[in-house]
Each structure stands twice: as C-alpha cells, then as structure tokens.
C-alpha cells in the first residue's frame, strides 16, 4: 500500500487494483489509471473541495460522501452516507462511525486491507469550554469509537490538533488504546509538522507506528 499526505486531512492511498482519496481540500494530486474511490467525511471547507468532481474527466470514480455535504447534482457515481451505516461499493466495504463534530468517519475494507479515516471524529476538549461541555464531549467520543473497539487497521488517519494546546493528543491516545493500528498518519495539525515529533517524544510507546510526516506530498509505503 502506498500512502501520500496531500494536505491537512487529505490522503491518497494506492492499492494494487484501486485508489482511495480521503478529504481532499487542496494540494497537488497525481494518480495512476485505476478505479478511484473518493471520500468526503463532512462539509467543512477544510475537508471538502468540489474540485474532486473533475476526477470524472480522467478516471473511473465513485464518490462516497457524508449526507451533510451539499452537492448540486445527484448523479449515479455519488453514494451519500450517514452515521452508523455499512455499505458495499464496488470492491470495497465502508462503515461510517459517527463524528463528534460533523459528518462521519470511515472504516474501509479493500483488497484485504483495513483503513480508518477519522474525519473530524476526535476528542475535542478545549480549555475555554466548561467542564460540562468537555465531559459531554468525552462521553460522546467514547460512544462513537465503540464500532472500532478491538479492531485491527493496517492504516489509521487520526487528528492531532495544536489548537487544543495541552489537550492536543487526547483523541490520538484514546484511538490507539481502542484499536490496533499497524501504521498511523497524524492529520488536521494545520501545518505544524513539529507537533508529530512532540507527540512521539511524549509517547515513546506509540512512536514506532506514528509516521513522520514532514511536508506536503510526503510519501511512504506500508
């Protein structure tokens, strides 16, 4: 499996017979001539760019899009999903855990590979919020990660957000305690690449599976 970090929460995954594009916002995108599955976890502008529909001009593509995303044309190549679904699309199976922010997360089975993209499912605890708000957030997060409890994923794409200050790693920690990941790509870190080094230094037990994304266009094989 080949994985390319595009920008923010956007990743491109190439398997033997197909490719998967997650939450493209902006950045350089190149792709082989294979079947393409494009995922949009929710409508926020840092996760959805209508430019993805131009892929129709050059490849065989299926779009799997959260129902909160407004799309003018309802065409046969778009599958709209809501939280708590399990669907089959071509050669892939997709499950959609709920999100603590908006839309859904994605658990994808394809070619014997298990992939998890969290979207904006994260433990969004903030210093400026009330204790009641943060406690409710913790309860919702624990509920929404139940579908992946005890599961194995070859690759996980998980938020690590510097805006949460000292709480930046709460979600990452719980994801890694909840499921087994062979490799984890941090995302949603707003260009703060050093945050990945910080997390690995603070959590040495997790450091081996955390990928050292250093730049847009970062590429590796898993």
């Amino acid at each position: 499996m080949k994985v390319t970090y595009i920008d923010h929460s956007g990743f491109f995954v190439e398997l033997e017979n197909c490719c998967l594009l997650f939450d493209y916002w902006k950045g350089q995108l190149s792709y082989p001539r294979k079947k393409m599955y494009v995922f949009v976890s929710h409508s926020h502008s840092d996760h959805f760019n209508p430019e993805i529909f131009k892929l129709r001009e050059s490849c065989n593509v299926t779009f799997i899009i959260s129902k909160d995303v407004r799309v003018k044309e309802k065409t046969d190549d778009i599958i709209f999903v809501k939280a708590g679904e399990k669907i089959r699309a071509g050669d892939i199976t997709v499950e959609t855990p709920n999100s603590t922010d908006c839309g859904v997360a994605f658990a994808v089975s394809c070619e014997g590979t298990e992939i998890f993209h969290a979207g904006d499912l994260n433990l969004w605890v903030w210093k400026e919020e009330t204790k009641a708000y943060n406690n409710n957030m913790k309860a919702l997060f624990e509920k929404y990660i139940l579908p992946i409890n005890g599961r194995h994923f070859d690759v996980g794409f998980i938020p690590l957000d510097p805006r949460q200050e000292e709480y930046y790693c709460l979600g990452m920690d719980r994801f890694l305690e909840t499921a087994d990941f062979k490799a984890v790509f941090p995302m949603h870190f707003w260009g703060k690449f050093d945050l990945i080094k910080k997390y690995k230094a603070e959590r040495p037990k997790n450091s081996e599976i955390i990928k050292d994304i250093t730049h847009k266009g970062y590429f590796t094989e898993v």
Side-chain angles (χ1 to χ4, degrees):
M1 177 183 358
K2 300 175 182 179
V3 179
T4 303
Y5 170 69
I6 302 173
D7 195 353
H8 199 52
S9 296
F11 288 88
F12 181 77
V13 178
E14 182 183 352
L15 299 172
E16 183 176 356
N17 299 310
C18 68
C19 298
L20 298 86
L21 175 63
F22 292 94
D23 279 10
Y24 175 80
W25 172 28
K26 61 181 180 179
Q28 294 296 318
L29 179 61
S30 60
Y31 49 88
R33 301 290 178 173
K34 296 181 180 180
K35 171 64 181 179
M36 178 86 75
Y37 296 94
V38 178
F39 298 83
V40 180
S41 67
H42 62 289
S43 59
H44 292 170
S45 60
D46 58 328
H47 293 259
F48 169 59
N49 185 336
E51 291 292 310
I52 60 174
F53 296 117
K54 291 184 178 179
L55 289 168
R56 291 172 171 144
E57 301 170 4
S58 54
C59 64
N60 178 11
V61 59
T62 296
F63 302 92
I64 301 170
I65 300 178
S66 174
K67 283 188 174 180
D68 68 292
V69 179
R70 294 184 178 180
V71 177
K72 291 181 180 180
E73 298 181 8
K74 306 298 191 296
T75 54
D76 292 340
D77 58 2
I78 300 178
I79 301 172
F80 290 98
V81 294
K82 63 180 186 296
E85 288 193 303
K86 183 175 182 179
I87 66 164
R88 182 76 182 176
D91 297 325
I92 69 173
T93 300
V94 181
E95 297 172 66
T96 55
N98 208 342
S99 174
T100 44
D101 189 354
C102 188
V104 301
F106 294 110
V108 183
S109 300
C110 182
E111 298 184 22
T113 301
E114 301 294 324
I115 300 169
F116 178 75
H117 189 286
D120 265 358
L121 171 58
N122 189 29
L123 187 44
W124 297 112
V125 171
W126 307 93
K127 287 200 305 185
E128 61 269 24
E129 289 293 349
T130 64
K131 182 178 180 180
Y133 174 94
N134 285 330
N135 284 341
N136 183 61
M137 172 59 62
K138 292 174 183 177
L140 283 176
F141 181 77
E142 292 298 326
K143 177 181 178 181
Y144 293 165
I145 62 175
L146 282 175
I148 67 167
N149 185 39
R151 292 177 59 175
H152 168 79
F153 293 96
D154 296 284
V155 171
F157 304 107
I158 298 174
L160 200 64
D161 198 311
R163 300 173 303 167
Q164 292 182 267
E165 301 179 67
E166 64 261 39
Y167 301 136
Y168 81 101
C169 59
L170 292 181
M172 178 71 78
D173 286 348
R174 282 298 295 131
F175 273 119
L176 298 186
E177 292 166 354
T178 301
D180 172 60
F181 295 91
K182 178 181 177 182
V184 170
F185 292 78
M187 64 180 188
H188 214 276
F189 48 83
W190 299 99
K192 307 294 184 181
F193 295 98
D194 286 344
L195 195 67
I196 300 173
K197 295 180 180 178
K198 172 181 170 67
Y199 180 75
K200 293 183 69 167
E202 292 177 350
R203 299 290 191 275
K205 68 177 182 179
N206 297 332
S207 63
E208 289 188 5
I209 66 170
I210 304 295
K211 293 300 179 179
D212 292 306
I213 301 174
T214 56
H215 59 278
K216 298 174 185 177
Y218 170 89
F219 167 85
T220 191
E221 294 191 19
V222 178

